[in-house]
């Protein structure tokens, strides 16, 4: 058994090859590459059920060919592409739909569109909604028929985006003060860390600035909770699309 032998994909193919899985079980390649990431995102208590549902809810003979595109559409909408990247979104949709035709787009068509989107990304302010929408379009600008990584990468982008906006309970001034104190502690403890001595940075932070440290840790806990909640919503998004295709 290969290195991925303990994952659903690895167990299914005895090696973890997405193309092998797609060929054996009839899932589109873009979906086959999503099986392991989807299961990994699940709440640990649900991981087995999610992997089983991936198989059980798909009716024999179900046409899953549209599922990858529908998942991409859902994620692009979730990252504002339907409002803030309208022309590029329309072109991208056209390329994805043309993949199913008798004359699919050439590689250069994807490359040219992606280059224009990436140029537009650079023109937008960092952390803006427009930049997020355009980045999502650029991430999705690959042929789904021949790539197993487009949708997992797009999901990863969407999950990370959950913490893009500032935490209203942890203002910028407080954030700056926290970073200043942490930088001071890092500088002061550099000799010990260089010597390989263990240094408990959070404990020193709590001693030096207890109120500030508490606010920083609470903000970090909220950030982690948002990230986990969004990641754990991935399986249901995918399974809903599979169920719709099998209805």
């Amino acid at each position: 058994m290969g290195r991925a032998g303990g994952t659903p994909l690895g167990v299914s193919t005895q090696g973890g090859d997405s193309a092998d899985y797609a060929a054996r079980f009839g899932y589109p390649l873009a979906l086959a590459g999503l099986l392991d990431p989807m299961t990994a995102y699940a709440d640990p208590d649900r991981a087995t059920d999610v992997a089983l549902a991936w198989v059980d809810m798909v009716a024999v003979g179900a046409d899953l060919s549209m599922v990858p595109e529908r998942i991409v559409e859902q994620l692009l909408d979730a990252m504002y592409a339907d409002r803030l990247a309208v022309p590029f979104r329309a072109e991208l949709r056209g390329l994805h739909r043309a993949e199913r035709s008798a004359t699919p787009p050439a590689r250069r068509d994807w490359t040219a569109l992606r280059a224009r989107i990436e140029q537009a990304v650079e023109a937008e302010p960092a952390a803006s909604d427009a930049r997020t929408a355009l980045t999502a379009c650029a991430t999705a600008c690959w042929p789904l028929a021949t790539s197993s990584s487009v949708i997992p990468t797009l999901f990863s982008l969407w999950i990370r985006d959950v913490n893009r906006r500032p935490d209203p309970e942890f203002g910028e001034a407080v954030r700056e003060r926290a970073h200043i104190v942490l930088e001071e502690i890092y500088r002061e403890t550099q000799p010990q860390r260089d010597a390989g001595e263990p240094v408990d940075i959070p404990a020193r932070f709590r001693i030096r600035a207890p109120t500030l440290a508490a606010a920083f840790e609470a903000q970090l806990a909220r950030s982690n909770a948002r990230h986990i909640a969004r990641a754990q919503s991935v399986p249901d998004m995918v399974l809903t699309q599979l169920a719709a295709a099998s209805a």
Side-chain angles (χ1 to χ4, degrees):
M1 186 172 292
R3 184 178 61 179
T7 69
L9 184 63
V11 169
S12 300
T13 63
Q14 296 189 349
D17 185 276
S18 299
D20 186 12
Y21 187 94
R24 288 193 196 191
F25 302 107
Y27 285 66
L29 179 61
L31 271 186
L34 185 57
L35 173 55
D36 279 354
M38 177 199 72
T39 308
Y41 285 135
D43 182 309
D45 292 337
R46 289 190 64 211
T48 299
D49 291 339
V50 164
L52 292 174
W54 166 277
V55 176
D56 291 343
M57 70 172 37
V58 176
V60 175
D63 181 3
L64 303 180
S65 61
M66 286 293 296
V67 174
E69 188 177 330
R70 288 170 181 159
I71 293 174
V72 167
E73 293 273 327
Q74 183 177 4
L75 288 170
L76 290 178
D77 285 351
M79 288 184 279
Y80 330 110
D82 58 326
R83 295 185 289 107
L84 301 176
V86 176
F88 293 124
R89 167 72 185 278
E91 290 186 65
L92 180 58
R93 182 185 290 115
L95 288 181
H96 280 141
R97 290 181 177 175
E99 276 195 276
R100 304 192 303 276
S101 71
T103 55
R107 178 71 67 170
R108 63 178 175 274
D109 296 327
W110 297 97
T111 301
L113 177 57
R114 189 166 57 254
R116 288 193 289 116
I117 298 173
E118 289 172 346
Q119 185 175 19
V121 169
E122 294 305 314
E124 296 295 337
S128 66
D129 285 352
R131 191 180 184 100
T132 294
L134 291 165
T135 300
C137 286
T139 302
C141 193
W142 296 89
L144 296 174
T146 57
S147 175
S148 62
S149 62
V150 173
I151 298 179
T153 304
L154 199 57
F155 264 121
S156 178
L157 179 66
W158 176 68
I159 291 168
R160 293 197 308 272
D161 188 60
V162 73
N163 283 315
R164 176 171 54 86
R165 286 187 170 85
D167 187 330
E169 299 181 55
F170 192 72
E172 189 57 34
V174 180
R175 183 185 303 277
E176 289 181 6
R177 289 202 303 274
H179 287 168
I180 288 171
V181 174
L182 284 168
E183 287 173 3
E184 290 175 352
I185 295 172
Y186 271 101
R187 284 197 303 272
E188 294 166 2
T189 59
Q190 188 68 53
Q192 295 98 307
R193 290 185 289 110
D194 287 345
E197 298 178 18
V199 176
D200 190 337
I201 301 292
R204 290 175 182 249
F205 189 16
R206 295 184 201 109
I207 292 170
R208 180 166 304 186
T211 301
L212 187 60
F216 180 85
E217 291 178 356
Q219 174 271 146
L220 185 60
R222 290 191 297 271
S223 175
N224 289 340
R226 286 191 295 268
H227 186 278
I228 291 170
R230 179 163 287 191
Q232 290 183 348
S233 72
V234 168
D236 287 335
M237 292 173 65
V238 175
L239 295 177
T240 296
Q241 294 291 354
L242 286 175
S246 299

